[in-house]
Amino acid sequence: MDHIPLAFNCSFPPVQVPYLDSTPFDTGSWYSYPQRHGWQVEQPREKIHLWRNGEKRPVSETAPFVQSWLYFALLREVTGDTFSVDQVSRNGGDGKRVISTAGLEALLGAWTAHLSRDADITETKEKLDKLYKLLIEHRSIGLRIHICSIDLGNDTIMLAIAVLSERLMAAVIDLYAHLGLETPVEQTWRVRHEGVDDIGQPILKLMRARGWCPYDVRRLDIDTKELSILYYYSNLKTPRSSKDHSECSGDRCLAMLTNPATYRLSHRREGCSCPLLFADSEEVAQILEQGSIPLISMMPGPDHEGLKISVKDLAQGHRFVAISHVWAEGSGNVNDNALQTCLLEDISEQVRKLPWDGSSSDFAFWIDTLCVPVRPPHLQVLALNKMRIPYERADHVLVLDSHLRSLDSSKSSPTELFAQVSCSSWMRRLWTLQEGRLAQKVWFQFADRAIDVQSIFATLDRSRVPSKVEHWMESSLYIQLWVQIWYRGDPVKNTSRVAAMIAFTGHALRSRSVSVPSDEALCLFNLMDMDITRVTTVPPAERMMVFWRSFERVPRGFVFSKASSKLSPEGIHWAPSSFLGFQSEKEWSGPQELNSPGPDDPHAVPTSVGLRVALPGFIFHQGLIERMKGYDFTWNFPLTFQDEDGAWYSMRLEKAWRQGSELPATSHQLAVVLAHELQGAGESSVPSRHSAENFSFQDFSVGLLVSVTKTESGMMYVTAHNHVAVELLGEGIRRYYSLADGCAKEVNIAQSILSNESHVASKQRYKASVERLLEDKGRLESLVATARHMGEEEDYEHLLDDMMSSTVVAARFGECGTAQKVAGSGWAGFYLAEFLSTTLYSVTIVSPRRTSAFTPLLASAACGLFSFYLAEEPVRSKTRKCKFIKANVLGADFASSKIHCAPAFEDDDPISNESFDLEYDYLILAPGCMPNTFNTPGVAEHALFMKNVSDAMAVRKLLFDLLEKASLPNCPVSRKQELLHVAIVGGGPTGIEITAELDDLAHKELNDLYPEVAKYLRISIYDVAPHILGAYDRKLHEYANDALLKRAIGIETNSRIEKVDAQALYIKDKGRIPYGMLLWVTGNKAVPLISGLDVRKTEKGLVRILTDSHLRVFKSATSDEIYDNVFALGDAADIDGSSLPTTAEVAIQKAKYLVNFFNSRGTPVVHSSLPFTYREKQLVSYIGSRDGIIAGRGDREGWTGRSAWLAWRSGS
């Protein structure tokens, strides 16, 4: 594995993989390699057999064959090169040869250059597709060999095969992306099977032998999917090697736990005895009680001797750094708000060294040890409620980790820097996750400097194809860090985003730990941008219950959660009691198809008595539960049963659904709830010498064994007991169980006898019947075929014993082994945007629309990528106690605190003329804007817009209507071209994103749905500006322009549109341009309400209401007086003297500010709160074909490509 780079000054010897005396290399096909060399490969169900001349061969023959086929033959097949032994091996130092990959990167470079010379992109894609399928098949065979524990004599042989395959797969994926082709899924070799070590086990053993903490080994094992990166970790300097890890386990590192009774503060330097410095508790308390945040600044002490702590108020405008540290390393204090002088000197020094804009010398910082009061409790709760603010508002977040601070970064590669951050103590702790995720910029302090991982990654050269191995590893390491630190979803509002946030948070938390378990819920509320005051005021033991009950809907996958611990209160047994722990996502949150639902997919609804959910399943015979008592079929044979249509199923019991689950009373009826309905899958694709019968299971589903407690109003109430695995059996296996059923009925032994004797004794009762069955030659051959497919022994004695056991099971359960199928069904979704507290205020929402659009998703919804339900949220909800009035606001009388309204219905509806007034105590104006047509004739009548879901629906309907019209047999080509010309006016982000989504749709689904006319679909962008995407710098908008042109998208800048009619637009100097669809996405103008309000407004450009920094509305243009009870936000409002763009991000942040402001106190007192501060996010745009652009920020340059697309798609 010589191609994998090593860390600077690595002192460990490399892993040596023996080069075996293999079968000579040849140039034939990889697929037929075994046959050419006298080997037979058989793959019965989930197994593999390697035979030579019909016999199993010893390790001395099997291992060389496997290495030659899966390593060298694969390398030759992919690269097309032939090579000598000396090119792929070297002397291992003991006279034996070992495999060498020192020349692998050069070989891949030459192969790529050769493949890239193909002028025909279609031919190149066909080659790549073949290679991808080859690597998938190769992986499947390699994993089977490993899982079936075929002895190769040395576990590094399969490791080397997997590492090579992993590298080749990455190179193939790189080529797909480089050529602008849709990239397939990259497969991992790190597949875990119960009872079988994964292929990376040799590396994990090496790490443990080199002194790594068992907890660190397991954490990196779980989080790392690439074997190459795991190997890189193993060669790093062992982290925390000075700690005693002898008592640590894979589940917990005892060396880094904090115990208040034994906790000791540390000094920065060994042998230091400097005194503690205390923060002034009265000053800290006063600032917190005023609704602000205390900051720390180090000042000279009395008579300029030593240092003292100066407490400052964030509300006074101080710039500052938030310190993120690991309490277990001694920089916390459980007794007082105090730290050692040397630590504070060091923190102050590192803060000063960070890059600061301007010439300020006022370097303040925030650290929880000093700024969160230890006592009294109400002040601590107050500080905890505001824990988000320091990390969100800080100019920088500085990470202080003892492992990183022991390392010199100057000679380290980006690969090593990223890997060392992954190995830090900071990455292991729960509290530090939110501190990094909320930050504007995170700096990691090393011995010589602080580094910004994101900036380093943005400057890496990723132009080489395929990427150099170190660049591939850097990207993988960075993505791992990004998911675990920086991924930020939208605030929890609707269910689809809840699912994504739960999934990403679960992934980031599973390898972290916390000393106080009840702190987990506090962090979850902060991470998901939920109201933390809901949990700081309840007993710690109830916090997780409050967390889960905060969701109106959750993914259905939690029904099948195998979380190691679940909550105990009635009605919420389904909920995991913690996100922490090394469980896979599938184990923790259920099947993938249910734990990542789309907006149209059914969800589970938490209620006071449990989860309400619609799922398929079976209801068993009433007597089944009685016959299960005392019979342990779980570890012997699965229960087989038939449905009313005669289909056979197999059900295997697994672990209990939760702690203390027991089988129900015999009066209850049993049922099985399935994750999905089981359906036949046709003939088996697995090769078999007995292919006339299908021995594969047709379908498989996880499920739950439940008891039915009652049925009421069409709803079935059930109690869950065990997880189960249910298979719909193939014809061959069905025939087997039918034969067993026949033997059972032939003998007809009473149930009372079977229930009171052992399984062994019962088998003898059926021996004669089974022996008569086996006398039939045809049936015997069928049973032999069944055994072979199942990987069981084929001799007569084994066949006899297996059939007797199956007959006992069939006899014991008899007619009770039948089930009634229950069809699954979903129900319509509902969404909730829970903002203002309805316990503190009576909230009335006045709007002409019943729903609120999530505008960033409108383009995707219009093109079918997301459902329309995802792009909007209804205002009304059963659980939201607010009033909704469907009306337009016509004006406001601020003196009498009234607004004038008119019902918002069709113009010809008489009720629309019946206006009314509403009184208010507080008024929040957020009327938004409307599309700006610039008074261009015909636009209002003929163009489509993109402001709400109705617009997106109209775009989708018109697009498919045009495709159908173009598909008519009497439609000439010229007319097809006009109908399928989509003209998009506006080259800003919205226009480019709808262009990108339409182009993706055209090259994917439309080519299949409309093969005869999709080729005529043409997209053109028209903009009056000299270039598209003017908000981006020149490099990025030119990149986007070139990428769109390569995909044959027309771009017409400097285009002034003079008028529009039903079939064409007319452009100055260009004339008439026919179109089928015209999308107008050029900008906004004020709604009529704004012009009628007597408030201060902007004088130029878009007319907007002006507010102060607390979002209060100014009374007039000439007065600085404000309305204390009138607020404005959204596109229709701006802050006087601090103008912000009309983007969804600005609106969301302002809304969150007001919600926090109102909900944090019963009666708002604005002057004591912090002013609104906008946290700028980098501008992100999608430009199609999984490509995107991200604008730079500060000294960080923007970037492009797949990572930009991922950031756009995730909403970060």
Side-chain angles (χ1 to χ4, degrees):
M1 298 187 288
D2 313 333
H3 66 288
I4 301 176
L6 299 176
F8 179 72
N9 274 345
C10 175
S11 59
F12 297 115
V15 169
Q16 294 191 337
V17 182
Y19 171 79
L20 306 177
D21 186 15
S22 304
T23 307
F25 311 147
D26 63 25
T27 57
S29 167
W30 177 86
Y31 291 96
S32 59
Y33 184 93
Q35 292 89 328
R36 293 198 306 275
H37 297 280
W39 286 82
Q40 298 85 46
V41 179
E42 288 197 356
Q43 300 183 61
R45 181 181 175 187
E46 297 182 0
K47 296 188 178 182
I48 191 168
H49 299 305
L50 305 178
W51 311 95
R52 194 169 195 180
N53 300 323
E55 296 180 355
K56 183 179 178 181
R57 307 307 297 166
V59 176
S60 59
E61 294 181 34
T62 304
F65 160 67
V66 169
Q67 187 182 73
S68 186
W69 180 34
L70 297 188
Y71 193 95
F72 297 112
L74 174 73
L75 184 59
R76 195 218 62 78
E77 181 87 4
V78 172
T79 64
D81 276 13
T82 55
F83 32 75
S84 66
V85 171
D86 289 337
Q87 289 177 294
V88 293
S89 66
R90 59 179 172 82
N91 192 308
D94 56 358
K96 297 181 180 179
R97 298 196 70 79
V98 296
I99 288 179
S100 172
T101 57
L104 177 61
E105 293 303 302
L107 191 63
L108 288 178
W111 163 67
T112 305
H114 174 75
L115 198 62
S116 300
R117 283 197 292 269
D118 287 342
D120 188 345
I121 188 69
T122 303
E123 183 179 340
T124 304
K125 183 179 184 303
E126 288 176 356
K127 291 180 180 178
L128 288 175
D129 288 345
K130 288 179 180 178
L131 291 176
Y132 179 75
K133 291 176 182 177
L134 165 69
L135 289 167
I136 294 297
E137 178 69 16
H138 173 269
R139 170 183 170 273
S140 174
I141 291 173
L143 285 174
R144 285 196 180 205
I145 290 173
H146 176 73
I147 291 166
C148 293
S149 302
I150 293 179
D151 188 6
L152 301 180
N154 188 314
D155 52 11
T156 64
I157 292 174
M158 187 54 71
L159 173 64
I161 289 169
V163 168
L164 174 68
S165 177
E166 180 181 84
R167 182 68 189 105
L168 296 177
M169 173 68 81
V172 169
I173 297 294
D174 266 357
L175 272 171
Y176 272 105
H178 174 66
L179 297 172
L181 302 171
E182 183 175 357
T183 55
V185 177
E186 191 167 347
Q187 302 288 331
T188 178
W189 278 73
R190 305 213 61 210
V191 178
R192 291 168 174 83
H193 282 253
E194 190 173 349
V196 180
D197 289 337
D198 99 292
I199 290 176
Q201 196 58 219
I203 303 174
L204 302 177
K205 290 178 181 176
L206 193 64
M207 294 172 76
R208 287 189 283 267
R210 290 174 176 175
W212 285 67
C213 172
Y215 179 81
D216 276 328
V217 174
R218 191 174 183 196
R219 180 173 69 88
L220 295 175
D221 174 28
I222 295 293
D223 289 341
T224 308
K225 67 176 184 178
E226 297 89 354
L227 290 162
S228 303
I229 292 177
L230 194 64
Y231 180 67
Y232 187 88
Y233 282 138
S234 71
N235 287 290
L236 293 176
K237 174 186 175 183
T238 304
R240 292 166 291 282
S241 57
S242 61
K243 297 282 186 180
D244 179 10
H245 297 287
S246 59
E247 300 297 322
C248 299
S249 68
D251 295 319
R252 205 166 198 187
C253 174
L254 298 179
M256 295 297 289
L257 283 182
T258 57
N259 183 342
T262 59
Y263 185 81
R264 295 175 61 87
L265 279 73
S266 68
H267 288 266
R268 180 70 188 114
R269 293 172 294 276
E270 194 73 30
C272 181
S273 59
C274 64
L276 287 170
L277 289 180
F278 292 79
D280 189 308
S281 58
E282 292 184 2
E283 290 185 6
V284 170
Q286 183 180 11
I287 292 171
L288 286 170
E289 288 172 338
Q290 289 175 346
S292 190
I293 302 295
L295 301 176
I296 302 300
S297 181
M298 302 309 299
M299 307 291 290
D303 300 325
H304 298 281
E305 292 185 6
L307 292 174
K308 72 172 185 177
I309 294 175
S310 173
V311 179
K312 298 187 176 183
D313 187 346
L314 174 59
Q316 296 175 1
H318 296 286
R319 301 177 65 187
F320 71 102
V321 173
I323 304 300
S324 181
H325 62 112
V326 179
W327 270 58
E329 294 179 346
S331 52
N333 192 329
V334 297
N335 298 313
D336 294 291
N337 294 112
L339 276 174
Q340 306 288 4
T341 303
C342 61
L343 281 179
L344 289 171
E345 286 178 337
D346 178 65
I347 292 172
S348 185
E349 177 65 20
Q350 304 310 329
V351 165
R352 274 195 294 270
K353 289 181 179 178
L354 291 175
W356 293 89
D357 297 331
S359 57
S360 173
S361 59
D362 182 13
F363 302 111
F365 60 89
W366 182 96
I367 186 169
D368 53 2
T369 313
L370 301 180
C371 299
V372 177
V374 174
R375 66 186 75 83
H378 80 277
L379 279 180
Q380 187 177 68
V381 169
L382 191 60
L384 288 174
N385 288 344
K386 299 176 181 295
M387 279 287 282
R388 288 181 62 92
I389 295 176
Y391 296 102
E392 285 184 318
R393 297 279 188 89
D395 292 77
H396 309 286
V397 168
L398 179 62
V399 174
L400 300 179
D401 176 277
S402 61
H403 172 64
L404 297 181
R405 299 203 67 183
S406 70
L407 304 171
D408 187 335
S409 70
S410 61
K411 296 180 180 179
S412 299
S413 66
T415 309
E416 183 175 356
L417 293 176
F418 297 172
Q420 293 288 13
V421 170
S422 292
C423 294
S424 65
S425 299
W426 187 84
M427 288 292 294
R428 308 163 87 202
R429 307 299 290 174
L430 175 58
W431 278 103
T432 57
L433 173 61
Q434 65 165 3
E435 295 163 9
R437 188 164 286 186
L438 297 174
Q440 296 186 52
K441 180 174 283 192
V442 181
W443 295 86
F444 294 91
Q445 185 67 52
F446 282 71
D448 55 322
R449 58 172 176 155
I451 69 163
D452 172 12
V453 167
Q454 290 181 295
S455 293
I456 291 175
F457 180 75
T459 59
L460 294 178
D461 178 16
R462 296 184 290 275
S463 60
R464 183 184 182 274
V465 178
S467 301
K468 293 181 180 179
V469 62
E470 56 266 32
H471 293 167
W472 165 61
M473 292 172 62
E474 286 159 3
S475 294
S476 296
L477 283 164
Y478 178 77
I479 290 171
Q480 181 177 317
L481 288 172
W482 180 82
V483 169
Q484 293 186 338
I485 302 175
W486 291 292
Y487 170 80
R488 293 188 68 185
D490 294 301
V492 173
K493 296 177 186 175
N494 74 20
T495 309
S496 60
R497 277 171 264 167
V498 167
M501 182 61 93
I502 287 175
F504 272 91
T505 302
H507 182 81
L509 261 63
R510 65 182 180 178
S511 57
R512 292 177 183 259
S513 61
V514 64
S515 297
V516 182
S518 59
D519 284 355
E520 181 179 351
L522 303 177
C523 294
L524 287 171
F525 268 79
N526 272 338
L527 286 167
M528 296 193 183
D529 203 5
M530 299 160 72
D531 182 6
I532 196 173
T533 61
R534 299 180 65 175
V535 286
T536 52
T537 55
V538 301
E542 298 178 12
R543 287 174 178 173
M544 284 302 294
M545 181 178 68
V546 173
F547 168 77
W548 284 113
R549 285 188 167 156
S550 299
F551 301 121
E552 187 169 280
R553 301 196 303 169
V554 297
R556 291 186 298 166
F558 282 108
V559 171
F560 306 99
S561 168
K562 294 182 180 178
S564 55
S565 176
K566 295 181 180 178
L567 295 176
S568 57
E570 289 295 325
I572 200 163
H573 292 159
W574 56 269
S577 59
S578 175
F579 279 64
L580 309 179
F582 295 109
Q583 281 192 284
S584 68
E585 182 180 348
K586 181 180 177 181
E587 290 274 307
W588 186 81
S589 57
Q592 175 67 31
E593 67 268 23
L594 297 183
N595 66 26
S596 300
D600 291 336
D601 297 329
H603 290 72
V605 179
T607 72
S608 60
V609 295
L611 276 184
R612 189 176 80 226
V613 64
L615 287 166
F618 297 97
I619 300 175
F620 287 114
H621 190 283
Q622 186 75 39
L624 178 63
I625 191 169
E626 178 62 34
R627 299 193 186 182
M628 288 176 62
K629 294 292 185 181
Y631 185 76
D632 186 11
F633 62 81
T634 309
W635 292 278
N636 290 287
F637 285 85
L639 172 67
T640 54
F641 62 91
Q642 288 181 286
D643 65 17
E644 63 267 33
D645 298 324
W648 278 91
Y649 302 84
S650 169
M651 181 178 75
R652 183 180 69 253
L653 258 67
E654 298 179 341
K655 65 184 292 186
W657 186 64
R658 71 176 185 90
Q659 305 91 326
S661 289
E662 297 177 354
L663 283 175
T666 56
S667 60
H668 289 167
Q669 191 168 12
L670 287 182
V672 166
V673 178
L674 299 176
H676 71 267
E677 189 171 358
L678 296 173
Q679 299 176 344
E683 291 300 312
S684 170
S685 59
V686 179
S688 171
R689 285 180 282 180
H690 296 265
S691 57
E693 291 185 293
N694 182 0
F695 292 102
S696 292
F697 60 83
Q698 295 286 282
D699 198 1
F700 167 85
S701 177
V702 298
L704 294 179
L705 180 65
V706 302
S707 58
V708 181
T709 56
K710 68 175 179 176
T711 301
E712 184 177 279
S713 303
M715 180 101 48
M716 188 180 295
Y717 292 79
V718 302
T719 299
H721 304 290
N722 281 83
H723 292 278
V724 296
V726 182
E727 299 174 355
L728 172 60
L729 301 177
E731 186 58 37
I733 308 298
R734 295 179 196 178
R735 189 182 305 277
Y736 176 86
Y737 287 118
S738 294
L739 292 173
D741 190 50
C743 290
K745 290 177 179 176
E746 179 182 323
V747 179
N748 192 23
I749 298 171
Q751 281 293 320
S752 58
I753 296 175
L754 293 174
S755 299
N756 291 293
E757 67 181 7
S758 69
H759 182 78
V760 173
S762 294
K763 283 198 301 182
Q764 295 304 311
R765 295 181 180 276
Y766 295 97
K767 183 175 182 180
S769 176
V770 173
E771 285 177 333
R772 284 193 296 274
L773 171 73
L774 296 181
E775 290 173 0
D776 184 304
K777 186 176 180 181
R779 289 177 174 175
L780 180 61
E781 288 184 353
S782 179
L783 294 178
V784 169
T786 303
R788 180 173 293 121
H789 175 78
M790 301 296 289
E792 306 293 345
E793 298 292 339
E794 303 172 23
D795 62 90
Y796 180 87
E797 291 302 321
H798 278 92
L799 293 176
L800 176 65
D801 190 69
D802 285 351
M803 180 54 73
M804 287 193 299
S805 289
S806 296
T807 300
V808 171
V809 175
R812 182 178 178 92
F813 294 104
E815 74 280 0
C816 294
T818 59
Q820 175 189 355
K821 188 184 296 182
V822 180
S825 62
W827 55 80
F830 54 92
Y831 300 93
L832 175 65
E834 188 174 7
F835 294 127
L836 294 174
S837 170
T838 53
T839 59
L840 295 175
Y841 307 97
S842 174
V843 180
T844 300
I845 299 172
V846 183
S847 173
R849 293 190 173 274
R850 297 184 185 91
T851 62
S852 174
F854 187 63
T855 52
L857 292 185
L858 290 178
S860 300
C863 296
L865 186 60
F866 298 114
S867 165
F868 295 115
Y869 292 107
L870 179 58
E872 66 177 348
E873 297 177 25
V875 177
R876 292 187 185 273
S877 169
K878 292 180 181 179
T879 58
R880 181 177 175 78
K881 296 177 177 59
C882 67
K883 185 176 181 181
F884 171 69
I885 299 175
K886 191 177 187 302
N888 287 303
V889 178
L890 306 178
D893 183 348
F894 299 122
S896 57
S897 296
K898 292 180 180 179
I899 55 173
H900 312 304
C901 309
F905 297 95
E906 299 297 329
D907 292 339
D908 57 354
D909 192 326
I911 199 173
S912 297
N913 298 319
E914 301 175 6
S915 61
F916 56 89
D917 290 349
L918 293 175
E919 295 184 350
Y920 63 81
D921 295 313
Y922 298 99
L923 174 64
I924 300 176
L925 294 167
C929 293
M930 57 193 298
N932 194 348
T933 66
F934 301 98
N935 298 318
T936 306
V939 171
E941 295 81 6
H942 304 297
L944 297 179
F945 303 96
M946 195 57 69
K947 292 291 287 184
N948 52 57
V949 170
S950 297
D951 294 336
M953 288 179 171
V955 169
R956 188 191 295 188
K957 180 181 183 302
L958 178 56
L959 176 63
F960 283 97
D961 283 349
L962 292 171
L963 286 162
E964 296 296 348
K965 289 178 182 179
S967 300
L968 294 173
N970 60 347
C971 183
V973 170
S974 59
R975 180 61 177 149
K976 295 180 194 289
Q977 292 172 336
E978 290 183 358
L979 286 171
L980 298 181
H981 179 212
V982 179
I984 298 175
V985 179
T990 303
I992 299 306
E993 285 169 12
I994 185 64
T995 299
E997 297 284 21
L998 284 169
D999 185 60
D1000 285 353
L1001 178 67
H1003 286 88
K1004 294 176 184 175
E1005 283 78 7
L1006 296 189
N1007 277 331
D1008 295 327
L1009 295 173
Y1010 297 90
E1012 296 178 353
V1013 299
K1015 60 187 176 184
Y1016 297 114
L1017 183 64
R1018 181 168 58 93
I1019 306 171
S1020 301
I1021 303 169
Y1022 300 92
D1023 199 298
V1024 70
H1027 53 75
I1028 62 171
L1029 295 173
Y1032 292 87
D1033 63 35
R1034 179 178 176 180
K1035 179 180 178 181
L1036 291 178
H1037 71 65
E1038 286 183 352
Y1039 175 89
N1041 190 88
D1042 293 344
L1044 294 171
L1045 290 175
K1046 286 179 182 177
R1047 297 201 298 277
I1049 293 170
I1051 300 177
E1052 300 288 342
T1053 54
N1054 296 308
S1055 296
R1056 188 172 299 278
I1057 299 173
E1058 297 179 322
K1059 67 175 183 177
V1060 169
D1061 63 27
Q1063 295 182 330
L1065 50 87
Y1066 297 83
I1067 302 177
K1068 185 178 181 181
D1069 299 329
K1070 297 177 184 178
R1072 182 179 185 273
I1073 309 293
Y1075 68 82
M1077 179 193 296
L1078 173 62
L1079 270 167
W1080 193 273
V1081 284
T1082 57
N1084 298 319
K1085 70 176 181 180
V1087 296
L1089 169 66
I1090 304 300
S1091 60
L1093 294 177
D1094 184 20
V1095 296
R1096 185 185 298 182
K1097 304 167 196 170
T1098 55
E1099 297 178 356
K1100 296 180 181 180
L1102 175 65
V1103 178
R1104 305 167 75 184
I1105 301 169
L1106 286 174
T1107 71
D1108 69 358
S1109 60
H1110 297 279
L1111 309 188
R1112 298 172 297 183
V1113 174
F1114 284 103
K1115 289 186 175 180
S1116 69
T1118 58
S1119 171
D1120 286 335
E1121 293 185 69
I1122 51 94
Y1123 291 108
D1124 281 324
N1125 63 341
V1126 181
F1127 303 80
L1129 69 162
D1131 291 352
D1134 204 3
I1135 297 175
D1136 195 15
S1138 181
S1139 184
L1140 294 171
T1142 56
T1143 64
E1145 182 58 37
V1146 174
I1148 289 171
Q1149 290 191 29
K1150 286 186 177 180
K1152 184 169 66 174
Y1153 169 82
L1154 281 186
V1155 168
N1156 291 338
F1157 159 65
F1158 276 100
N1159 289 355
S1160 64
R1161 58 201 76 203
T1163 304
V1165 182
V1166 178
H1167 67 269
S1168 66
S1169 71
L1170 297 171
F1172 170 74
T1173 302
Y1174 174 58
R1175 180 187 172 188
E1176 183 182 2
K1177 280 192 173 183
Q1178 288 169 277
L1179 191 60
V1180 184
S1181 289
Y1182 181 47
I1183 60 175
S1185 192
R1186 297 192 175 186
D1187 194 2
I1189 58 174
I1190 298 184
R1193 185 172 64 186
D1195 58 354
R1196 185 187 305 169
E1197 291 187 2
W1199 73 88
T1200 62
R1202 183 179 173 84
S1203 60
W1205 166 72
L1206 286 170
W1208 174 82
R1209 183 62 79 201
S1210 67
S1212 65

